[in-house]
């Protein structure tokens, strides 16, 4: 059966869900190595989070539209937890809400309503004994009818005064500014096998200023530095054309002792794997410009635009152990992405890199390259403020920087 969520409680119990089953919630007791089933909840938890201060475990039920909480009941008879020590309460958001991701924020919750294109903030109401008795909506950010806001928000994390959101029906990670109510979207790098990479879950990285996420049809575990807006995507080496090259990296866990390490599962192939950021990457990409401004004429055309970039050679003694690449071990190529379309591509603009590839082993420390943007024939260019992702890849790791693309 499908396990959507698994988490360790503050008392050492292991909780996990079982989808499409009459046994939606399980607890594994590490003290006696026994399993317990909780059948009273509406459906299997989709995502689960532990509130570190109280030990309460919160969960979403995508199918039934509920937010639930598991609380341990304090008793004087035994210090060893059992099923009688836990109380589970659920609160309905409505059948059309489809809650998926949640983020614990003090005495509040941020929740994504995926199919309703909403993010809501709920205040947790407790009685004098700490029992949760209600959830009160404080904020609602709706993308319904607003094509520039969200497309199926799946997971949410608050960092500072911004919400970071995965958009499951697009190739986007979105940053929503809670002060200006503005949104900035960055696209993951394009995938040769899938139009949509389906960014899924978000987890906080090693410095509380970065995020891990999985692209579950893109076969990647990805890391974004939210300070300098740089993206690193780690390719999962499993490749099988019979499944559309999808290993289905459906869930992952950040190592609690070292948040530079991530364990992940491959649902289509019954595998687990590890991504380790301590292993250095032999190349980097840089731009001295942050803003690229293109001015169009009355026919919505523009003269070809040249963008100068730099490729850094960062030698390492670590040998690549990837497989399935058509490139020599030390070769890198380049690609672009943008927020102009939900697929993360440019619209009515063609791109060309000069050169289109490099052998990193024979390069000096810094090598200039150029990206040229040109209008496609017999098409209109749409004005707006977008982001442009410029990537370098060796087919095992892709590094992307993001520039502001302003079309007037």
């Amino acid at each position: 059966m499908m396990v959507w969520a698994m988490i360790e409680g503050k008392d050492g119990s292991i909780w996990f869900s079982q989808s499409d089953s009459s046994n939606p919630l399980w607890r594994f007791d590490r003290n006696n190595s026994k399993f317990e089933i909780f059948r009273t909840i509406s459906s299997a938890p989709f995502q689960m989070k532990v509130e570190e201060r109280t030990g309460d475990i919160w969960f979403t039920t995508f199918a039934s539209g509920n937010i639930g909480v598991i609380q341990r009941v304090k008793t004087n008879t035994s210090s060893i937890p059992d099923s009688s020590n836990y109380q589970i309460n659920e609160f309905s958001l409505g059948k059309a809400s489809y809650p998926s991701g949640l983020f614990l924020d003090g005495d509040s919750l941020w929740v994504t309503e995926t199919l309703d294109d909403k993010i809501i903030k709920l205040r947790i109401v407790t009685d004098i004994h700490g029992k949760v008795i209600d959830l009160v909506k404080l904020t609602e950010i709706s993308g319904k009818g607003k094509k520039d806001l969200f497309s199926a928000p799946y997971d949410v994390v608050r960092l500072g005064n911004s919400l970071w959101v995965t958009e499951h029906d697009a190739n986007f990670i979105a940053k929503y500014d809670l002060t200006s109510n503005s949104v900035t979207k960055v696209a993951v790098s394009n995938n040769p096998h899938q139009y949509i990479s389906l960014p899924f879950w978000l987890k906080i990285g090693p410095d509380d200023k970065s995020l891990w996420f999985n692209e579950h049809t893109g076969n990647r575990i990805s890391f974004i530095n939210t300070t300098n807006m740089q993206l690193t995507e780690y390719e999962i080496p499993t490749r099988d054309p019979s499944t559309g090259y999808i290993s289905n990296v459906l869930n992952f866990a950040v190592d609690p002792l070292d948040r530079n390490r991530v364990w992940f599962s491959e649902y289509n192939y019954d595998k687990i794997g590890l991504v380790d950021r301590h292993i250095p990457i032999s190349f980097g990409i840089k731009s001295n410009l942050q803003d690229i401004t293109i001015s169009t004429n009355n026919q919505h055309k523009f003269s070809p635009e040249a963008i100068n970039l730099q490729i850094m050679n960062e030698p390492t003694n670590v040998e690549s152990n990837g497989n399935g690449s058509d490139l020599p071990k030390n070769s890198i190529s380049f690609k672009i992405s943008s927020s102009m379309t939900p697929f993360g591509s440019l619209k009515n603009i063609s791109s060309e890199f000069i050169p289109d590839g490099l052998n990193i082993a024979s390069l000096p420390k810094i090598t200039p390259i150029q990206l040229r943007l040109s209008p496609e024939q017999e098409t209109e260019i749409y004005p707006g403020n977008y982001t442009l992702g410029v990537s370098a890849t060796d087919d095992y790791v892709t590094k992307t920087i993001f520039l502001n693309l302003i079309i007037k």
Side-chain angles (χ1 to χ4, degrees):
M1 292 292 184
M2 178 71 173
V3 174
W4 269 113
M6 179 180 288
I7 203 162
E8 181 180 7
K10 295 287 285 183
D11 61 11
S13 297
I14 307 298
W15 296 83
F16 61 95
S17 64
Q18 189 174 6
S19 183
D20 300 324
S21 167
S22 59
N23 305 321
L25 180 63
W26 293 74
R27 184 179 76 91
F28 176 67
D29 191 328
R30 296 166 64 182
N31 296 298
N32 56 26
S33 297
K34 291 184 178 180
F35 290 89
E36 294 181 88
I37 303 170
F38 295 78
R39 295 192 174 95
T40 58
I41 66 174
S42 58
S43 62
F46 198 54
Q47 189 184 62
M48 306 176 78
K49 295 284 182 71
V50 176
E51 211 294 318
E52 293 295 326
R53 180 176 53 85
T54 63
D56 296 345
I57 298 174
W58 290 88
F59 60 87
T60 56
T61 59
F62 187 82
S64 58
N66 290 345
I67 302 296
V69 60
I70 304 167
Q71 294 187 283
R72 187 174 174 188
V73 180
K74 296 179 180 179
T75 65
N76 297 323
T77 58
S78 174
S79 61
I80 299 176
D82 60 46
S83 58
S84 63
N85 293 137
Y86 298 99
Q87 187 172 62
I88 304 175
N89 289 312
E90 292 184 88
F91 305 90
S92 176
L93 298 180
K95 290 186 177 180
S97 59
Y98 296 97
S100 55
L102 63 87
F103 179 76
L104 303 174
D105 194 1
D107 63 353
S108 300
L109 300 170
W110 291 96
V111 178
T112 55
E113 296 185 13
T114 299
L115 299 189
D116 215 18
D117 286 341
K118 290 181 182 178
I119 300 175
I120 60 173
K121 184 179 184 181
L122 303 168
R123 181 168 59 87
I124 303 168
V125 181
T126 60
D127 63 17
I128 59 173
H129 303 292
K131 178 184 175 181
V132 178
I133 58 174
D134 199 6
L135 295 175
V136 177
K137 185 185 290 188
L138 299 176
T139 303
E140 178 178 300
I141 306 167
S142 177
K144 278 291 184 183
K146 302 174 183 176
K147 65 178 182 178
D148 294 329
L149 200 52
F150 302 123
S151 177
Y154 224 76
D155 204 4
V156 59
V157 167
R158 184 182 67 80
L159 295 179
N161 203 44
S162 297
L163 297 179
W164 289 85
V165 182
T166 51
E167 296 192 55
H168 192 247
D169 285 359
N171 281 335
F172 294 152
I173 305 297
K175 176 187 178 183
Y176 183 85
D177 190 301
L178 291 166
T179 300
S180 65
N181 299 320
S182 62
V183 65
T184 301
K185 296 171 183 277
V186 297
V188 302
S189 66
N190 62 61
N191 188 308
H193 303 299
Q194 302 295 328
Y195 285 114
I196 300 293
S197 290
L198 299 184
F200 216 63
W201 300 127
L202 284 166
K203 299 183 190 296
I204 295 176
D207 54 5
D208 294 329
K209 296 180 181 178
S210 56
L211 294 166
W212 289 98
F213 63 95
N214 55 327
E215 302 174 40
H216 85 90
T217 62
N219 293 331
R220 297 164 177 160
I221 295 291
S222 301
F223 180 88
I224 185 166
N225 185 320
T226 64
T227 301
N228 61 17
M229 294 300 291
Q230 293 189 6
L231 174 67
T232 305
E233 296 167 291
Y234 298 88
E235 297 282 338
I236 308 306
T238 302
R239 291 291 185 271
D240 187 344
S242 68
T243 59
Y245 300 93
I246 298 174
S247 63
N248 211 341
V249 187
L250 201 56
N251 222 323
F252 68 98
V254 178
D255 189 328
L257 300 180
D258 183 354
R259 286 191 283 173
N260 280 299
R261 292 161 52 94
V262 161
W263 291 91
F264 62 88
S265 63
E266 296 180 53
Y267 180 69
N268 287 7
Y269 292 93
D270 297 328
K271 295 179 181 180
I272 60 172
L274 173 69
V275 171
D276 189 346
R277 286 190 69 244
H278 294 295
I279 298 175
I281 300 168
S282 62
F283 62 90
I285 185 168
K286 182 180 178 181
S287 171
N288 291 327
L289 290 177
Q290 185 59 42
D291 297 331
I292 307 299
T293 301
I294 293 177
S295 297
T296 59
N297 58 24
N298 293 335
Q299 288 76 41
H300 300 285
K301 298 292 183 180
F302 65 92
S303 301
E305 183 80 17
I307 302 166
N308 295 318
L309 304 160
Q310 295 175 333
I311 298 299
M312 280 78 69
N313 185 358
E314 301 170 355
T316 171
N317 295 324
V318 177
E319 294 292 330
S320 172
N321 61 356
N323 56 61
S325 173
D326 295 325
L327 292 173
K329 184 171 62 176
N330 292 312
S331 293
I332 59 172
S333 58
F334 313 111
K335 50 187 177 179
I336 58 93
S337 60
S338 88
S339 63
M340 294 184 75
T341 73
F343 297 119
S345 59
L346 289 170
K347 186 171 185 177
N348 300 338
I349 297 176
S350 62
S351 62
E352 179 187 15
F353 285 95
I354 302 173
D356 60 1
L358 294 170
N359 186 327
I360 196 71
S362 62
L363 296 181
K365 189 173 181 180
I366 297 176
T367 301
I369 66 168
Q370 191 173 83
L371 167 63
R372 293 183 180 176
L373 302 178
S374 303
E376 295 182 349
Q377 295 295 322
E378 300 180 359
T379 59
E380 291 188 1
I381 309 302
Y382 296 92
N385 293 339
Y386 308 100
T387 56
L388 177 70
V390 187
S391 306
T393 182
D394 64 358
D395 279 4
Y396 308 130
V397 176
T398 301
K399 285 191 169 184
T400 302
I401 58 174
F402 295 100
L403 310 176
N404 298 319
L405 177 60
I406 304 161
I407 300 178
K408 298 182 177 180

